[in-house]
Amino acid sequence: MRAGVLVDRDLRLAVREGWIRAAEPITDTQVQPASLDLRLGPIAYQLRASFLPFRQTVQSRLGEELGDSDLVIDRLPLAAGATLQRGSVYLVPLVESLALPPELRGRSNPKSTTGRLDIFTRVITDGTPRFDEIRPGYRGGLYLEVSPQSFPVRVHAGASLNQLRLLAGQTSMSDAELARTYGETPLLYDDDGRPIPIERAVFNDGLCMGVDLSGRLTDGIIGYRANPNPPAVDLARVDHYDPAEFWEPIKRPARDAYILEANRFYILVSKERIRVPPEFAAEMVVYDAGAGEIRTHYAGFFDPGFGFGDGSVLGTKVVMEVRAREVPFMVYDGQTSFKVWFERLRGRPERVYGVGLGSSYQHQTLTLSKQFRRPQQG
């Protein structure tokens, strides 16, 4: 099998070949340019704690009958919807399962909306020591750990909170390869639509990007901080909620720095605009755990065409889900906060992000999740 990230036509073939299986038919709307949306099954198990199955199956850790274990606190049916509480840990068997050939492996990430609602999710598979990574040739079920952090969230069976990528062989690009690609097709643009010269781009096991504290395009608002005691958010409701009930806007600071409070959740935005050409997929990853006491993202996948579209889009801002850890932390305008890995595809996808797809965030600046009404900006 040719190396690269599987694209939409490959994913449809994987379904036909039985490499991706499902208790209910997989729909075309689940198939993204280089990923597959995974769906919640009919039951959520509230757990005492998170866990990894290590050398056993998930089911054996939970008891022979799912939920028959002292690890499980409660079972919540999701067919009519259920509200998941902040700070609690839930495990949901997903509708999809896998029977991968030996040359295929997988990786999972939360969807953008999931991250922007501060819902901590990660996939667990049988006999694995790591979250979100699916070993080559894996055969078995997929389970999603879900832990809302800032808002209670109402979810229904069939909803998609995370995505799956399948990969064959060597997919990642070295910094030298990434720099050559940048020289041919600039990957970062500024807010005036000008490519950022390659001499100013920073490559460090990926393409580095910074945080924007200028508020230039958002009427002086640089971000949002989650309110401490909000109502619940129903994920099925789009353009429904008043942001003021859930978020506090953050005004541009008097100087080019802002202090993030410990253990508070923020939505910020990147200084640069990124383009992902249709020949590549990308993933947002932590820059360096030693470079700051913050977690800078939950959702990481960028599909081919993000910030590119049909070629007319000159980059798109990256929305950052940020949480300071044990201590308050000061960030500076333009400070490197994350990096982006680029990966080769097995071929060009039939459809790219923002072209013929319901792509919610192609032209975003500082954008909350789609459940919230868009604030009016001058």
Side-chain angles (χ1 to χ4, degrees), residues 9 14 43 53 86 98 104 108 116 121 172 180 200 221 223 231 236 239 249 271 325 327 331 341 358 365:
R9 68 172 65 84
I43 298 291
R86 291 189 299 169
L98 298 176
L104 278 187
S108 179
R116 294 183 200 194
T121 67
S172 60
R180 283 197 296 271
R200 288 173 48 199
I221 301 299
D239 196 27
K271 192 72 171 176
R325 294 197 279 259
V327 296
V331 292
W341 283 341
T365 51

Side-chain angles (χ1 to χ4, degrees), residues 1 19 41 72 94 125 141-142 147 171 178 202-203 211 218 237 239 245 248 254 267 269 273 294 316 339-340 367:
M1 180 178 289
W19 303 342
V72 177
L94 297 175
T125 52
L142 300 172
S147 183
T171 61
L178 191 55
V202 178
F203 303 94
V211 61
T218 49
R237 295 188 170 184
D239 196 27
E245 290 190 72
E248 174 191 352
I267 296 291
V269 73
R273 296 171 177 264
I294 57 174
T316 297
K339 61 186 178 183
V340 178
T367 308

Side-chain angles (χ1 to χ4, degrees), residues 94 100 150 158 168 182 212 330 364:
L94 297 175
L100 298 179
S150 289
Y182 197 113
D212 186 2
M330 181 174 285
Q364 69 185 1

Side-chain angles (χ1 to χ4, degrees), residues 26-179:
I26 292 174
T27 66
D28 195 55
T29 57
Q30 290 177 251
V31 180
Q32 304 303 322
S35 61
L36 180 76
D37 292 347
L38 301 176
R39 296 168 293 177
L40 300 179
I43 298 291
Y45 299 91
Q46 185 178 6
L47 305 181
R48 294 171 59 195
S50 174
F51 74 100
L52 280 167
F54 191 38
R55 296 189 179 120
Q56 297 189 30
T57 66
V58 174
Q59 183 164 335
S60 69
R61 291 295 188 189
L62 295 178
E64 286 306 313
E65 296 294 330
L66 277 179
D68 183 22
S69 164
D70 61 3
L71 185 61
V72 177
I73 296 173
D74 199 4
R75 296 162 54 110
L76 286 75
L78 300 183
T83 300
L84 310 184
Q85 299 298 327
R86 291 189 299 169
S88 292
V89 179
Y90 302 86
L91 189 71
V92 185
L94 297 175
V95 174
E96 290 74 24
S97 60
L98 298 176
L100 298 179
E103 63 270 23
L104 278 187
R105 66 188 186 279
R107 193 165 67 243
S108 179
N109 246 312
K111 296 187 67 174
S112 295
T113 294
T114 306
R116 294 183 200 194
L117 288 171
D118 198 16
I119 307 171
F120 187 60
T121 67
R122 46 195 184 180
V123 162
I124 302 174
T125 52
D126 294 335
T128 180
R130 297 181 66 85
F131 294 104
D132 285 332
E133 294 186 8
I134 300 163
R135 65 179 180 271
Y138 176 74
R139 303 177 70 89
L142 300 172
Y143 303 83
L144 187 67
E145 180 185 299
V146 182
S147 183
Q149 299 296 299
S150 289
F151 314 110
V153 294
R154 187 165 183 82
V155 299
H156 294 74
S160 294
L161 300 187
N162 71 313
Q163 299 168 300
L164 172 71
R165 271 190 183 161
L166 294 180
L167 310 93
Q170 178 64 32
T171 61
S172 60
M173 299 176 65
S174 68
D175 285 345
E177 292 170 318
L178 191 55

Side-chain angles (χ1 to χ4, degrees), residues 2-3 45 108 131 152 154 165 182 198 200 214 222 235 238 245 252 268 291 310 343:
R2 187 167 70 254
Y45 299 91
S108 179
F131 294 104
R154 187 165 183 82
R165 271 190 183 161
Y182 197 113
I198 192 170
R200 288 173 48 199
S214 72
I222 65 164
L235 269 61
V238 176
E245 290 190 72
R252 179 178 56 237
L268 302 175
D310 60 4
E343 295 184 293

